[in-house]
């Protein structure tokens, strides 16, 4: 899947509140440090994990599932196996008519579920990490010698 | 759509935005060993690879990072790690793939130093190499076994005259679920981009054309980002938990960037074959004019190869841009802008005439290097390929009766005049 920098930039600047499904409380798991990173960059991060429900992470209550979140989110970020994606997509589409983006992490993909969400006008990103894309777009990856695809003579 | 740029634009701009601290338009030489952390949490996140940033210049440095991004961009890869030399880059490239008992299937036409590194030195890590003729596809297939973790070849093999059929070799690597690693030093991404022909990794001696002025040694490992490190279970360094980083799995965490992160976080951290910022600066200067220089290098090489081939004092010329070369079509496929600027020729009169020729040249420099703006000549069999047996030398294209030239960007007519006078002395 190829996503243009323009699209990824739009998704990551439009989203203010992100529900992270499958978040871990172990600081060395990617789901934890990706969520922590997004929080650091000013996103409101809503942790979702039935095993941790009621606890607090990133200054927010952990919810057992998407339908229990009592307010709107712009984006759902999925840290679950690909097989677990379809019911999550159904749940998200039902819960938030105004949902903007469903994001599936590296290694997570589901063509049919993605098509269903897209048919509802939701942007779907698969097999990518929002932290890495944020770092690419806003220049941090340059520090590691990665190809950011960004050329500019502006400060 | 993401905007795409031409090669000439990328070689000037990629990786080099104005310096955020000062507005300096040229990439500053960040001559520093270490970098201040914002706070303890920032430091912890950096050390745990949870954020990208500068810690210590053995790992990352802003000047070196600019060069890495530029080379990665020119090759069409996702990321690159620069190293202290081309030889360092080769070890760095293999390091995440290999383990004791594993092997690399390598072309028998390689820079002599690489043949030595692969046939002798890597044995001390418990690795080994199997050398094969890359034109014998059945032999390549047969050489790949359950312990093979990579296939290694050069685009245009040093000492020249040979172009590898990258697509055919990449198909064999694909079938075995192992990466094809291509040393693209002699072609440069201007003449050939191996990722477009199925390679997964590219290595460079940046010492050569990328710097282009014979000032600094350096190397680079570039990742296409296209190889699935998890699929076969053959690459546990990238797919399995890494104890030194709390069980972090590189491929799971970094996806297409896994190999490059590993190169920094494990390779540079523990092997320490780091490029210094001064070297990166010289190479950044050079790479800005890569396409302009390569155009002149190949035009001069073509003209001089033609002239030599028609000279009665010459036995044969191996330049793949000549009609007489068996690799002419392959060069047209893989290097359509020109067949490089490195080739060998045999002087009638054999070894003695070769030695005399080298001694009689005025403009050509007798040095063990290639890819300089200056024209260079060397008798490979007694120098760069000296550690090899005569049989290995012949297979590598460095037979005792040939000399190797690396054609520079001077006036071709002056170079021809120099060769002419020296050949007269050598064959008198
Ligand atoms: C094709 C090729 N690869 C690698 C190297 C090694 O590079 P370095 O001398 O920068 O270690 C050389 C050097 O001659 C070379 O010609």
């Amino acid at each position: 899947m190829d996503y243009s920098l323009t699209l990824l930039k739009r998704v990551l600047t439009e989203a203010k509140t992100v529900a992270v499904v499958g978040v871990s409380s172990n600081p060395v798991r990617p789901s934890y440090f990706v969520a922590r990173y997004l929080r650091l960059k000013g996103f409101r991060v809503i942790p979702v994990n039935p095993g941790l429900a009621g606890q607090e992470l990133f200054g927010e209550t952990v919810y057992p599932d998407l339908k229990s979140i009592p307010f709107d989110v712009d984006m759902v970020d999925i840290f679950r196996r690909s097989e677990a994606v379809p019911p999550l997509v159904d749940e998200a589409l039902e819960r938030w008519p105004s949902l903007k983006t469903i994001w599936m992490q590296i290694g997570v993909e589901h063509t049919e579920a993605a098509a269903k969400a897209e048919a509802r006008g939701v942007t779907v990103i698969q097999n990518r990490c929002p932290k890495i894309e944020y770092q690419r777009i806003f220049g941090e990856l340059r520090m590691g010698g990665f190809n950011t695809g960004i050329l500019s003579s502006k400060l | 759509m993401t905007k795409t740029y031409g090669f000439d634009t990328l070689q000037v701009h990629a990786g080099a935005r104005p310096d955020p601290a000062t507005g300096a338009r040229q990439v500053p030489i960040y001559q520093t060993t270490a970098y201040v952390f914002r706070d303890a949490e920032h430091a912890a996140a950096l050390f745990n690879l949870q954020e990208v940033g500068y810690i210590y210049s053995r790992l990352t440095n802003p000047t070196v990072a600019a060069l890495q991004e530029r080379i990665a961009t020119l090759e069409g890869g996702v990321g690159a790690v620069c190293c202290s030399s081309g030889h360092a880059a080769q070890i760095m490239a293999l390091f995440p793939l290999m383990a004791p008992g594993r092997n690399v299937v390598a072309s028998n036409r390689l820079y002599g130093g690489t043949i030595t590194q692969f046939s002798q030195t890597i044995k001390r890590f418990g690795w080994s190499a199997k050398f094969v003729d890359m034109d014998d596809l059945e032999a390549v297939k047969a050489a790949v076994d359950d312990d093979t973790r990579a296939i290694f070849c050069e685009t245009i093999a040093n000492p020249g005259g040979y172009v590898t059929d990258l697509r055919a070799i990449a198909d064999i690597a694909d079938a075995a679920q192992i990466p094809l690693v291509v040393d693209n030093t002699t072609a440069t991404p201007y003449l050939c981009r191996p990722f477009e022909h199925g390679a997964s990794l590219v290595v460079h001696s940046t010492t050569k054309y990328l710097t282009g002025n014979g000032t600094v040694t350096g190397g680079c490992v570039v990742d296409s980002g296209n190889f699935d490190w998890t699929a076969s279970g053959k690459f546990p360094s990238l797919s399995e938990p890494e104890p030194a980083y709390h069980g972090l799995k590189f491929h799971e965490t970094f996806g297409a960037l896994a190999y490059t992160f590993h190169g920094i976080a494990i390779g540079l951290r523990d092997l320490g074959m780091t490029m210094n910022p001064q070297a990166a600066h010289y190479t950044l200067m050079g790479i800005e004019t890569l396409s302009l220089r390569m155009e002149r290098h190949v035009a001069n090489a073509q003209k001089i190869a033609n002239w030599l081939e028609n000279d009665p004092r010459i036995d044969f010329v191996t330049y793949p841009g000549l009609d007489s070369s068996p690799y002419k079509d392959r060069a047209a496929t893989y290097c359509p802008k020109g067949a490089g600027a490195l080739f060998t020729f045999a002087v009638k009169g054999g070894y003695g005439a070769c030695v005399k020729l080298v001694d009689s040249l005025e403009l050509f420099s007798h040095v063990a290097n290639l890819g300089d703006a200056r024209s260079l000549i060397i008798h490979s069999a007694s120098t760069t390929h000296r550690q090899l047996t005569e049989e290995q030398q012949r297979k590598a294209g460095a037979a005792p009766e040939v000399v190797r030239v690396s054609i520079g960007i001077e006036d071709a007519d002056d170079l021809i005049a120099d060769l002419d006078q020296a050949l007269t002395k050598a064959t008198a």
Side-chain angles (χ1 to χ4, degrees), chain A residues 92-126:
Chain A
L93 294 179
E94 196 179 313
R95 175 68 192 83
W96 295 292
S98 63
L99 185 69
K100 294 195 184 82
T101 304
I102 293 178
W103 192 302
M104 304 180 205
Q105 284 290 330
I106 294 170
V108 186
E109 277 174 302
H110 203 288
T111 314
E112 294 80 40
K116 193 166 181 184
E118 278 164 350
R120 272 271 307 271
V122 175
T123 304
V124 179
I125 311 288
Q126 302 182 71

Side-chain angles (χ1 to χ4, degrees), chain A residues 12-13 21 24 59 74 100 137 155:
Chain A
L12 291 174
T13 37
V21 186
S24 164
D74 309 301
K100 294 195 184 82
I137 293 162
L155 253 184

